[in-house]
Amino acid sequence: MKKLIFITLAVILLGCTANTKYAGAKRQKRNVHQKYTTKISKAQVKKSIGNAKKLNVKKGEKLSFVCSFYAEKFQGRLTSNGERYDKHKLTAAHKTLPFNTKLKVTNPDNGKFVIVRVNDRGPFVKGRDLDLSYAAAKKIGLIPHGVKRMDIEVIKVGD
């Protein structure tokens, strides 16, 4: 009986002692948005956007952009205008076009088109002009190519 009481007290006392691994260490503040950030620094993004050619587009204007589409890892992350990226919506990212600008993106090879709304900044890869959501890219047949030049028509200039 004495042995059982001794073991019980020992377990209780061991549970109350501080773990030396964490003793004296300050608790680090966890970045709650860490999983929503990319490997590109804010300075690189700012420089990339700052170096981008500012487009003053008008309704009906026709352009040609090198298009790509968002990687799967961006699903659920915050876009530059504060929305969550949803790969099933018809959205796009451009470095300088105003948010809520609507674009008609046409694949010149098959004639398929999609109308997307700009709600993000990017792409931040040299030589690319427009990042499409997965749904938009799939609808026009961009998925097998990954990156491809597309015909663009401005449907509505955002605010």
Side-chain angles (χ1 to χ4, degrees):
M1 183 69 166
K2 285 183 181 182
K3 197 174 190 179
L4 182 62
I5 293 172
F6 176 75
I7 292 173
T8 305
L9 285 174
V11 170
I12 291 171
L13 286 174
L14 285 173
C16 293
T17 61
N19 187 337
T20 56
K21 181 178 177 182
Y22 301 106
K26 290 183 179 179
R27 186 175 178 189
Q28 290 183 336
K29 190 174 182 181
R30 186 171 172 250
N31 180 357
V32 294
H33 297 292
Q34 187 173 3
K35 69 179 182 178
Y36 297 114
T37 58
T38 61
K39 293 182 182 180
I40 299 172
S41 72
K42 286 183 180 180
Q44 288 171 312
V45 169
K46 193 173 183 180
K47 181 180 177 185
S48 180
I49 291 173
N51 290 339
K53 182 181 174 188
K54 303 282 189 261
L55 292 178
N56 293 321
V57 295
K58 295 178 182 166
K59 182 179 176 180
E61 191 170 341
K62 298 191 187 234
L63 307 158
S64 180
F65 284 160
V66 175
C67 297
S68 56
F69 62 95
Y70 283 85
E72 181 69 31
K73 69 180 182 178
F74 292 103
Q75 176 67 14
R77 293 187 187 185
L78 290 175
T79 62
S80 296
N81 76 346
E83 297 175 15
R84 295 240 178 240
Y85 168 67
D86 183 349
K87 69 180 185 177
H88 303 292
K89 291 187 177 178
L90 302 176
T91 58
H94 188 271
K95 290 179 188 170
T96 61
L97 286 174
F99 290 135
N100 297 318
T101 296
K102 291 194 177 180
L103 304 171
K104 179 181 178 182
V105 182
T106 305
N107 185 336
D109 292 343
N110 59 20
K112 293 181 180 179
F113 70 91
V114 65
I115 296 176
V116 296
R117 181 178 57 90
V118 176
N119 73 335
D120 201 5
R121 294 289 170 233
F124 301 112
V125 177
K126 190 175 180 177
R128 296 185 192 177
D129 303 309
L130 192 70
D131 253 348
L132 299 174
S133 65
Y134 180 83
K138 186 174 181 180
K139 192 169 181 178
I140 61 172
L142 177 61
I143 302 295
H145 303 282
V147 178
K148 187 169 181 358
R149 185 166 291 280
M150 300 285 178
D151 298 327
I152 309 295
E153 182 181 347
V154 179
I155 303 296
K156 175 191 167 230
V157 178
D159 31 292

